[in-house]
Amino acid sequence: MNFLAHIYLSGNNELVTMGNFMADGIRGNKYKAYPKDVQIGILLHREIDTFTDAHPIVRQSTKRLHKNYSHYSGVIVDILYDHFLAKNWSNYSEIPLDIYVQNFYEITTKHFEILPERTQHMMPYMISGNWLLNYASIEGIQSVLEGMNRRTKFISGMNKATVELKQYYKEFEEEFKLFFEELISFANLKRQEITDKFSEQL
């Protein structure tokens, strides 16, 4: 899953949210240098990624893209699923998306010092471009995919993936909805399990 889904699946704890958001920048056991709640978020992120990558519904979405995008297909599906989360946001949260993402940007500013350097560098672009809100439109997803294509030095061709998004829009959306219901339950359970393990260690 991409940024918006990871943030959403973190629950209401700010530091768990920060850990989940920045986890891709934390390798191996370096997470242990962070406060407990940040550690919980990082470990939760890893559990979510493992569950997502192995799930048959996600693999079905990914297979549709594999011919044209090879091993980048999974990255594209993560981004497309964030589009459907943003588009269908009112099904998952009572807080309007624009307010939700603004609250998140304020949290990242508050806890900016704990972010990895790469994430710190990214944040001004995310906020000024309002990436999380713009996920809700195909134009916003196009912009994200173009940015990802630049990061791969234009070899991934990810900027073209909105073609498949439009072509198979209903299929992708249905797959997202089915998968995300399972993912919510999984993430809630794992977040509690990880929290309980930390409590046992005290």
Side-chain angles (χ1 to χ4, degrees):
M1 303 304 291
N2 208 45
F3 293 127
L4 184 60
H6 277 292
I7 294 162
Y8 174 79
L9 294 167
S10 299
N12 298 319
N13 184 307
E14 290 183 2
L15 290 177
V16 172
T17 301
M18 294 301 292
N20 199 345
F21 170 65
M22 70 187 203
D24 281 334
I26 311 298
R27 302 300 178 194
N29 65 359
K30 291 183 178 179
Y31 73 91
K32 293 181 179 180
Y34 290 90
K36 180 196 75 171
D37 287 342
V38 177
Q39 292 187 47
I40 291 171
I42 294 169
L43 294 174
L44 175 61
H45 181 109
R46 294 176 180 179
E47 292 282 359
I48 289 168
D49 279 357
T50 299
F51 180 81
T52 299
D53 291 344
H55 200 284
I57 294 176
V58 177
R59 289 188 171 184
Q60 186 173 321
S61 293
T62 304
K63 186 177 180 181
R64 196 174 290 119
L65 299 169
H66 199 267
K67 179 181 177 181
N68 290 333
Y69 306 102
S70 187
H71 61 280
Y72 295 106
S73 300
V75 177
I76 295 169
V77 168
D78 284 346
I79 294 168
L80 300 189
Y81 278 15
D82 254 17
H83 164 65
F84 291 113
L85 175 56
K87 179 197 170 191
N88 296 285
W89 183 257
S90 61
N91 293 338
Y92 304 104
S93 177
E94 295 180 357
I95 303 171
L97 182 59
D98 59 340
I99 296 173
Y100 185 92
V101 300
Q102 187 58 45
N103 289 341
F104 172 72
Y105 296 149
E106 291 173 4
I107 290 170
T108 60
T109 301
K110 178 180 175 182
H111 299 291
F112 190 78
E113 72 284 349
I114 70 172
L115 294 172
E117 185 176 349
R118 187 177 68 173
T119 309
Q120 288 181 346
H121 178 73
M122 177 187 73
M123 285 313 303
Y125 299 99
M126 173 179 277
I127 294 171
S128 64
N130 208 353
W131 294 357
L132 300 178
L133 184 63
N134 288 334
Y135 283 159
S137 70
I138 292 178
E139 294 77 14
I141 291 300
Q142 179 66 46
S143 178
V144 173
L145 291 169
E146 286 173 356
M148 295 296 291
N149 190 45
R150 285 193 297 273
R151 290 188 196 94
T152 65
K153 298 181 180 178
F154 304 98
I155 63 173
S156 68
M158 282 192 280
N159 59 306
K160 301 175 184 176
T162 49
V163 172
E164 286 85 359
L165 172 60
K166 293 174 183 177
Q167 184 178 359
Y168 300 106
Y169 197 87
K170 290 182 179 179
E171 292 88 340
F172 280 125
E173 185 166 26
E174 184 60 27
E175 287 159 2
F176 161 76
K177 288 180 177 178
L178 290 171
F179 169 67
F180 201 61
E181 289 298 330
E182 291 189 36
L183 182 59
I184 290 170
S185 298
F186 173 83
N188 288 340
L189 178 63
K190 281 297 175 182
R191 188 172 63 247
Q192 190 59 54
E193 285 182 0
I194 296 167
T195 301
D196 289 345
K197 285 182 180 179
F198 273 88
S199 298
E200 291 168 5
Q201 295 169 10
L202 295 177

